[in-house]
């Protein structure tokens, strides 16, 4: 029997002897599969969230509280998807970019997790106020942008504060695996004192589950259930369509994040128990698969929260039209650059004058 763990088995002095070390490295097939999955997540996450950011910066602007929250969610997801290829590369090349990259890249997911999940809770709260408490919210409408930006600032600061243990204690170090000729280069939380290790083994995953999953889920469940009841009482086909959107938001959130948090909870509860090497390998596989599923949420956020809105879709098509205009201008600049530019500008103006509004989404 050995006493080893996975991501949250933070190396401590004197935990186990050299004979007890267990090689937990994934096999080549698992590495290839994870690389392919993460590449897909990177591609779709980058395109989707970049389009949301571009739309808000150049087309739609942030006019409501939900606009501000959606813009910040897209930024949080972009931070993570941009870091993802570097994480994959370093994991497969012994963290060759050095200890600073190790700390920053390992912290990227934590910042995205806390900021993104809390902002999604803010969106559900804003929609609750706008739909369920519509009469009470009217008087404060003039100050919503100021409040929403302040809330986003607090969320980002809170996310950074919760990420500090990961940033401070994550280290790049070498670990000799049983039966391996060369030492494996690791990038994970590492401690020199057993008491600190025991505390962080529970604190870090505990915070991730509580603040990054249970708190947002509770807020979303309360707000969206109240919204669904209010919309169903309206007896409108558009309102019933909006209820389906609400259910999709909650179901996707649960499907993406529940498996990983359940696996993380099971792993945390067994941290101080003795396990076999084979059992630990199975736990690692489950954590890796469920973690990839959780990563998928950053690709689905633009669809669930932005592109589902009629007005947002009109801005998206305007981006496509403008890109087409720009390509034509560069291809035929000698003959029609002036006319193509006029078409692009007139298209932008007509889009800004549109008043299409979705019944639920912005």
């Amino acid at each position: 029997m050995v006493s080893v763990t996975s991501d949250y088995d933070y190396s401590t002095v004197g935990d186990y002897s050299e004979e007890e070390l267990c090689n937990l490295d994934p096999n080549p097939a698992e590495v290839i599969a994870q690389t392919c999955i993460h590449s897909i997540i990177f591609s779709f996450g980058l395109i989707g969230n970049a389009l949301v950011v571009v739309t808000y910066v150049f087309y739609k602007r942030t006019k409501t509280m939900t606009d501000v929250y959606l813009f910040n969610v897209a930024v949080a997801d972009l931070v993570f998807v941009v870091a993802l290829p570097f994480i994959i590369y370093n994991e497969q090349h012994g963290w060759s970019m050095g200890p600073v990259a190790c700390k920053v890249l390992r912290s990227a997911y934590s910042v995205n997790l806390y900021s993104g999940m809390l902002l999604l809770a803010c969106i559900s709260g804003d929609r609750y106020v706008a739909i369920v408490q519509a009469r009470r919210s009217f008087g404060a409408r003039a100050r919503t942008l100021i409040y929403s930006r302040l809330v986003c600032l607090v969320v980002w600061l809170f996310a950074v504060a919760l990420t500090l243990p990961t940033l401070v204690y994550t280290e790049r170090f070498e670990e000799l695996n049983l039966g391996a000729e060369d030492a494996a280069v690791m990038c994970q939380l590492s401690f020199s004192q057993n008491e600190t290790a025991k505390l962080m083994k529970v604190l870090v995953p505990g915070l991730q589950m509580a603040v990054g999953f249970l708190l947002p889920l509770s807020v979303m469940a309360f707000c969206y259930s109240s919204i669904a009841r209010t919309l169903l009482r309206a007896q409108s086909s558009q309102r019933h369509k909006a209820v389906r959107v609400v259910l999709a938001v909650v179901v996707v959130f649960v499907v993406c994040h529940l498996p990983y948090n359940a696996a993380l909870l099971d792993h945390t509860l067994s941290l101080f128990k003795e396990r076999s090497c084979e059992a630990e390998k199975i736990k690692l596989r489950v954590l890796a698969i469920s973690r990839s599923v959780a990563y998928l949420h950053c690709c689905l956020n633009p669809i669930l929260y932005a592109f589902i809105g009629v007005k947002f879709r009109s801005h998206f098509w305007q981006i496509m039209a403008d890109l087409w205009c720009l390509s034509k201008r560069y291809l035929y600049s000698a003959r029609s650059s002036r006319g193509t530019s006029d078409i692009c500008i007139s298209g932008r103006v007509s889009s800004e004058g549109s008043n299409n509004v979705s019944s639920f989404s912005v």
Side-chain angles (χ1 to χ4, degrees), residues 26-309:
N27 59 54
E30 291 175 346
V31 172
I32 294 173
Q34 279 196 2
T35 302
C36 293
I37 294 170
H38 291 167
S39 298
I40 294 171
I41 293 171
F42 165 75
S43 301
F44 284 97
L46 181 65
I47 294 171
N49 289 289
L51 284 173
V52 173
V53 172
V54 168
T55 301
Y56 276 120
V57 172
F58 295 106
Y59 292 81
K60 192 176 187 297
R61 309 295 182 183
T62 51
K63 300 176 182 177
T64 67
M65 290 186 76
T66 300
D67 286 338
V68 176
Y69 295 144
L70 285 174
F71 176 79
N72 279 269
V73 169
V75 170
D77 287 339
L78 269 178
V79 169
F80 172 67
V81 296
V82 169
L84 191 56
F86 296 99
I87 295 174
I88 297 170
Y89 174 83
N90 279 277
E91 285 180 342
Q92 296 179 8
H93 295 82
W95 290 93
S96 57
M97 294 178 68
V100 175
C102 165
K103 286 180 176 290
V104 172
L105 294 175
R106 285 301 188 200
S107 300
Y109 173 68
S110 181
V111 172
N112 165 263
L113 173 76
Y114 292 124
S115 60
M117 297 302 100
L118 292 174
L119 286 166
L120 294 183
C122 291
I123 292 173
S124 65
D126 178 55
R127 288 174 170 175
Y128 170 82
V129 172
I131 296 174
V132 180
Q133 305 289 339
R135 295 179 181 176
R136 298 181 184 179
S137 65
F138 181 80
R141 193 168 296 171
R143 295 174 293 171
T144 53
L145 285 180
I146 297 175
Y147 286 158
S148 60
R149 287 165 183 159
L150 181 61
V151 169
C152 289
L153 176 62
V154 171
V155 166
W156 280 106
L157 291 175
F158 192 49
V160 171
L162 291 172
T163 305
L164 283 178
T166 301
L167 183 65
V168 171
Y169 291 109
T170 297
E171 300 289 347
R172 178 183 181 274
F173 59 93
E174 295 184 355
E175 184 177 82
L176 182 63
N177 284 328
L178 187 64
E181 296 181 0
D182 300 323
V185 179
M186 312 289 289
C187 176
Q188 62 184 28
L189 294 175
S190 178
F191 308 95
S192 58
Q193 297 182 358
N194 286 335
E195 291 303 318
T196 305
K198 290 177 181 179
L199 174 64
M200 291 299 170
K201 281 180 179 181
V202 177
L203 181 63
V204 173
L207 284 174
Q208 182 173 320
M209 286 181 284
V211 181
F213 178 68
L214 293 177
L215 177 61
L217 179 63
S218 300
V219 174
M220 291 172 67
F222 170 77
C223 292
Y224 285 137
S225 62
S226 301
I227 290 170
R229 286 195 299 268
T230 302
L231 294 176
L232 287 172
R233 286 199 296 265
Q235 297 298 320
S236 166
S237 59
Q238 284 294 100
R239 298 295 186 179
H240 283 75
K241 181 180 179 181
V243 172
R244 290 195 292 270
V245 174
V246 169
L247 291 176
V249 168
V250 177
V251 168
V252 169
F253 182 87
V254 172
V255 169
C256 286
H257 292 283
L258 182 59
Y260 179 54
N261 281 273
L264 186 58
L265 176 61
D266 176 68
H267 183 70
T268 304
L269 292 175
S270 64
L271 280 175
F272 302 102
K273 297 177 182 178
E274 198 173 69
R275 285 102 64 206
S276 67
C277 183
E278 192 61 33
E280 194 63 24
K281 288 181 178 179
I282 294 173
K283 283 180 178 291
L284 274 175
R285 290 194 189 98
V286 173
L287 278 170
I289 294 170
S290 58
R291 184 168 53 244
S292 296
V293 174
Y295 289 172
L296 281 172
H297 202 233
C298 69
C299 304
L300 300 174
N301 280 337
I303 299 172
L304 290 170
Y305 289 92
F307 294 129
I308 205 166

